């Protein structure tokens, strides 16, 4: 198939689709894999808005514009194993001489010199065609749809269940805002954890998308109807999920007026981006779209004021006994800027629930079957269950995921794994490819939200024991360790999750193509990557991480 035929078949804007099967289009699986994953990110079943090349998380893009995307595809089709492609904020800018064990693609997205690292400066560059927002896995081509955050959200609700609800969420109600690309995982995670869930989104299309992907059970346009259904379900102990089309601030206000205090309150609107992410209270969605273009300043002012109001209601819920936590969208920061001075009285989900996992080098490990055949994921799930017979939590998760998760785009799986486990899983997958038990190579990656790859003081590194929250040497070291280790593609981004000025983070993907070279790279990368989490938390003084330094023989002094 020549370049034109390839584009006609897989990449006619805005209809994108990854090739499947075991025939190469590029020169090797090391370049076929990023090519397929880039197109998969933009598949209409995966991306939130392929028209704008937006994958998820507000305006997180996979490529800067359709022309830049075509250029990247052309380069990936032609790249050999002695060269690597450079991507600067979603555009190919050069090819450098490297070697077969080097990453094939180096990606840098949305990075700005600290004093210039603001949304205003970014927007200027973006409107001049010089930048795009890469979010985390959008611009680094390893987004797998809402499943990508499903287990993290499930783990968070389960940790909350253990900490505050004696291990049981039956007869408990969770209320949250935002049912977009990532927020859309909340209803399924909540019901998997045994709770009743009410999710509120201003955009009906977003809820309808979750209905189609099987992540939510019902949609309602009326507050009264939604309220009646969730209260009945809560009383009966039914783990069901309801999406209500409304403004989240208004809904929390009405719940308070009606004396309904949910057991858990959180939020996943795209609060990190006050211009394109959060819809201000009191205006329709259509008015919001128009105002975003015509009146930037007024839109932003209204958005942060609405977030202050929204957080004010969350704080009131907290005073009435709800367990309230920030779920990684920088809502507290925006609310503070909008005038809610007590916003940070709400705890962040990482210090509350996730940091102990980071101390074990654990994080959102994921993999994708390039064959496109769901059976390949079933084979990897079973291989893991067999290889880790004592890991009850992992087995429970994989069994639940097999039953409940509908795939979006290429079949994929998320499973939080830690030090030692990731390397073992990676080698196992490479052997499945080598022996022909799966039909094509497996892509192995993770979210940037991981144990040792992020500096984000309002999220992953909030309230570090030694006060090193804002030190971003760590994600840079992570990038270097994975580049040196031989990942297939690596990335370094700014602003993911929480917006411009608030985070820096690194991504990595390594491809199991069944070769010895892949096994060597997998062993290095999947050792280095979780080890970075242990190094980071050991250095900050966490005893669990210090113990892991000896458990995993990581001590170096
Ligand atoms: P998205 O942009 O796809 O979805 C955001 C949703 O919020 C949209 O559906 C939008 O209609 C809705 N919304 C906006 N204003 C609203 C309002 N006033 N009332 C009700 N609904 C409103 O984003 P996403 O991918 O779902 O990510 C959501 C947020 O979570 C982002 O800030 C992202 O950076 C963050 N995030 C968190 C994690 C984590 O692990 N906790 C991971 C990834 C992303």
């Amino acid at each position: 198939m020549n370049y034109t035929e390839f584009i006609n078949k897989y990449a006619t804007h805005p209809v994108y689709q990854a090739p499947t099967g075991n025939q190469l289009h590029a020169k090797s699986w090391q370049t076929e894999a990023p090519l397929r994953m880039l197109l998969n990110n933009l598949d209409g079943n995966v991306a939130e808005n392929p028209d704008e090349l937006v994958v998820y998380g507000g305006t997180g893009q996979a490529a800067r514009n359709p022309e830049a995307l075509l250029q990247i595809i052309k380069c990936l089709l032609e790249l050999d194993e002695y060269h690597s492609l450079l991507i600067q904020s979603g555009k190919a800018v050069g090819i450098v001489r490297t070697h077969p064990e080097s990453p094939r693609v180096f990606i840098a997205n949305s990075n700005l010199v600290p004093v210039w690292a603001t949304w205003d400066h970014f927007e200027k560059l973006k409107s001049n065609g010089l930048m795009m927002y890469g979010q985390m896995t959008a611009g680094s081509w390893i987004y797998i749809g809402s499943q990508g955050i499903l287990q993290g959200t499930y783990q968070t609700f389960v940790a909350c269940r253990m900490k505050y609800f004696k291990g049981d969420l039956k007869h408990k109600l969770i209320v949250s805002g935002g049912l977009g690309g990532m927020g859309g995982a909340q209803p399924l995670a909540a019901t998997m954890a045994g709770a009743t869930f009410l999710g509120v989104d201003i955009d009906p299309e977003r809820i309808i998308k979750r209905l189609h992907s099987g992540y939510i059970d019902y949609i309602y346009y009326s507050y009264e109807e939604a309220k009646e259904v969730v209260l009945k379900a809560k009383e009966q102990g039914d783990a069901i999920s309801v999406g209500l089309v409304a403004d989240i601030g208004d809904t929390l206000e009405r719940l308070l007026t009606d004396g309904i205090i949910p057991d858990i309150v959180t939020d996943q609107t795209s609060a990190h981006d006050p211009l394109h992410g959060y819809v201000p209270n009191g205006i329709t969605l259509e008015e919001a779209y128009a105002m975003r273009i015509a009146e930037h300043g007024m839109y932003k002012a209204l958005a942060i004021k609405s977030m202050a109001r929204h957080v004010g209601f969350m704080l009131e819920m907290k005073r009435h006994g709800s367990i309230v936590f920030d779920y990684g969208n920088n809502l507290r920061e925006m609310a503070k800027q909008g005038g809610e001075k007590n916003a940070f009285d709400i705890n962040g989900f990482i210090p509350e629930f996730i940091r102990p996992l980071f101390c074990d080098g654990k994080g959102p490990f994921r993999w994708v079957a390039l064959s496109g055949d769901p059976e390949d994921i079933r084979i990897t799930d079973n291989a893991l269950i067999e290889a880790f017979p004592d890991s009850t939590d992992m087995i429970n998760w994989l069994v639940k995921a097999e039953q409940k998760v509908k795939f979006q785009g290429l079949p994929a799986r998320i499973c939080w794994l830690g030090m030692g486990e990731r390397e073992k899983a990676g080698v196992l997958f490479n052997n499945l490819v080598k022996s022909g038990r799966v039909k094509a190579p497996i892509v192995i990656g993770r979210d940037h939200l991981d144990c040792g790859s992020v500096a984000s003081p309002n999220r992953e590194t909030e309230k570090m024991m030694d006060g090193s929250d804002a030190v971003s040497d760590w994600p840079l070291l992570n990038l270097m360790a994975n580049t040196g280790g031989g990942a297939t593609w690596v990335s370094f981004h700014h602003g993911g999750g929480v917006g411009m000025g608030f985070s820096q983070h690194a991504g990595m993907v390594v491809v199991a193509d069944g070769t010895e070279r892949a096994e060597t790279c997998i062993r290095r990368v999947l050792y280095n990557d979780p080890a970075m989490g242990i190094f980071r938390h050991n250095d900050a003084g966490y005893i669990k991480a210090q113990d892991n330094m000896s458990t995993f023989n990581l001590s170096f002094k």
Side-chain angles (χ1 to χ4, degrees):
M1 187 182 290
N2 65 30
Y3 168 74
T4 313
E5 286 165 345
F6 184 89
I7 296 301
N8 288 343
K9 185 156 183 200
Y10 298 112
T12 315
H13 184 76
V15 182
Y16 298 99
Q17 198 189 0
T20 52
N22 62 8
Q23 293 303 309
L24 284 173
H25 303 81
K27 290 192 170 152
S28 77
W29 284 106
Q30 300 295 309
T31 42
E32 180 82 16
L35 177 65
R36 289 192 187 189
M37 291 306 295
L38 165 63
L39 291 168
N40 188 57
N41 263 20
L42 290 168
D43 184 316
N45 293 314
V46 181
E48 292 299 306
N49 180 6
D51 276 8
E52 308 280 335
L53 305 182
V54 166
V55 182
Y56 78 103
T59 54
Q61 287 177 235
R64 203 183 299 178
N65 53 48
E67 300 71 45
L69 176 61
L70 290 180
Q71 185 66 42
I72 296 171
I73 293 173
K74 189 161 188 292
C75 293
L76 288 172
L77 284 168
E78 290 169 4
L79 203 67
D80 65 28
E81 59 179 2
Y82 291 92
H83 293 89
S84 301
L85 176 63
L86 303 178
I87 303 291
Q88 182 260 319
S89 286
K91 190 178 98 170
V93 292
I95 287 176
V96 290
R97 291 182 190 168
T98 52
H99 55 83
E101 290 185 14
S102 151
R104 294 277 69 84
V105 192
F106 297 101
I107 300 174
N109 281 320
S110 332
N111 294 290
L112 291 163
V113 169
V115 170
W116 282 264
T118 63
W119 276 121
D120 283 346
H121 190 68
F122 169 83
E123 290 297 343
K124 260 186 227 152
L125 293 166
K126 189 178 169 187
S127 59
N128 290 333
L130 299 172
M131 272 216 147
M132 68 161 208
Y133 180 53
Q135 249 294 359
M136 289 192 159
T137 53
S140 61
W141 312 340
I142 184 70
Y143 183 69
I144 57 168
S146 297
Q147 191 193 166
I149 199 182
L150 182 65
Q151 197 194 0
T153 309
Y154 171 77
Q155 293 264 11
T156 302
F157 289 149
V158 167
C160 184
R161 179 174 84 181
M162 299 313 286
K163 192 164 171 179
Y164 295 107
F165 298 96
K166 299 193 182 113
D168 191 4
L169 286 181
K170 205 174 161 112
H171 301 293
K172 302 286 181 265
L173 174 64
I174 302 178
V175 173
S176 184
L179 295 165
M182 294 283 87
Q186 296 177 104
L188 183 54
T191 54
M192 281 169 111
T196 306
F197 179 83
L198 174 64
V200 183
D201 201 296
I202 193 74
D203 183 349
E205 290 307 318
R206 301 304 193 102
I207 306 180
I208 290 166
K209 192 158 182 160
R210 306 314 144 210
L211 278 173
H212 289 155
S213 63
Y215 273 70
I216 203 162
D217 299 320
Y218 305 102
I219 181 169
Y220 286 97
Y221 293 79
S222 136
Y223 164 81
E224 290 298 337
E225 277 179 298
K227 181 181 84 173
E228 200 179 309
V229 172
V230 291
L231 288 184
K232 193 165 164 213
K234 176 181 148 107
E235 195 190 316
Q236 294 178 346
D238 292 340
I240 58 144
S241 57
V242 169
L244 169 65
V245 182
D247 170 72
I248 178 65
D250 284 352
T251 306
L252 293 183
E253 186 181 34
R254 290 189 75 172
L255 288 170
L256 280 163
T257 308
D258 289 349
I260 298 163
I261 305 302
D263 301 280
I264 300 173
V265 180
T266 187
D267 185 68
Q268 262 205 309
T269 56
S270 270
H272 70 277
D273 183 347
L275 181 58
H276 301 104
Y278 193 93
V279 176
N281 171 255
I283 61 172
T284 64
L285 204 51
E286 293 66 34
E287 287 166 342
Y289 291 147
M291 197 191 278
R292 269 176 193 166
I293 297 164
E295 292 164 285
H296 283 200
M298 191 196 299
Y299 187 100
K300 276 199 212 171
L302 283 178
I304 59 169
K305 215 171 135 215
S306 305
M307 287 191 248
R309 172 177 177 267
H310 172 177
V311 167
F313 295 135
M314 289 172 81
L315 285 164
E316 207 170 326
M317 293 286 190
K318 186 174 180 222
R319 280 192 288 276
H320 283 88
S322 294
I323 301 302
V324 181
F325 60 87
D326 173 288
Y327 196 37
N329 58 358
N330 221 11
L331 178 66
R332 293 170 300 174
E333 176 66 38
M334 296 300 149
K336 194 173 146 204
Q337 290 182 17
E340 177 48 75
K341 59 182 188 315
N342 298 321
F344 279 86
D345 287 356
I346 293 173
N347 292 336
F349 78 111
I350 299 280
E352 265 275 17
F353 306 121
I354 301 292
R355 187 147 301 136
L357 299 173
F358 284 175
C359 291
D360 288 337
K362 281 207 166 93
F365 184 82
R366 58 181 62 173
W367 61 98
V368 182
L370 288 182
S371 65
D373 187 342
E375 179 62 11
D376 278 0
I377 291 297
R378 209 187 54 76
I379 290 170
T380 56
D381 285 345
N382 290 346
L384 276 190
I385 290 172
E386 217 171 276
F388 293 93
D390 301 326
S391 302
T392 321
D393 286 351
M394 185 203 295
I395 294 172
N396 284 343
W397 165 256
L398 289 170
V399 170
K400 265 184 203 264
E402 267 192 25
Q403 289 163 352
K404 304 255 179 183
V405 175
K406 265 197 201 170
F407 297 129
Q408 294 170 259
L410 291 173
R413 182 66 75 228
I414 185 90
C415 185
W416 280 50
L417 297 184
M419 189 69 202
E421 297 168 332
R422 295 193 196 187
E423 184 182 344
K424 187 169 167 182
V427 173
L428 190 67
F429 295 168
N430 200 48
N431 286 335
L432 291 177
V433 180
K434 192 170 159 182
S435 64
R437 283 199 59 212
V438 292
K439 296 169 199 71
I442 303 281
V443 160
I444 301 168
R446 59 157 169 77
D447 195 355
H448 294 206
L449 182 170
D450 195 24
C451 52
S453 53
V454 197
S456 185
N458 287 346
R459 206 168 100 165
E460 288 86 342
T461 52
E462 178 173 0
K463 293 190 182 145
M464 291 296 286
M465 246 175 101
D466 61 349
S468 60
D469 306 18
V471 176
S472 58
D473 296 336
W474 293 102
L476 278 161
L477 287 173
N478 179 268
L479 170 76
M480 294 175 211
N482 287 329
T483 304
T488 308
W489 66 98
V490 288
S491 52
F492 195 82
H493 294 195
H494 158 227
V498 283
M500 289 297 142
F502 289 98
S503 62
Q504 288 176 294
H505 37 94
M508 76 82 202
V509 182
V510 61
V511 176
D513 60 11
T515 60
E516 261 174 50
R517 187 207 49 73
E519 177 168 337
T520 308
C521 291
I522 283 168
R523 282 195 183 279
R524 288 190 299 239
V525 171
L526 297 183
Y527 171 93
N528 295 350
D529 199 38
M532 282 302 306
I534 297 177
F535 296 152
R536 206 277 174 252
H537 291 86
N538 166 58
D539 194 68
Y542 290 88
I543 291 177
K544 205 163 191 252
Q546 288 169 353
D547 290 346
N548 279 326
M549 290 293 284
S550 1
T551 308
F552 294 106
N553 217 4
L554 296 168
S555 298
F556 54 93
K557 286 177 193 158

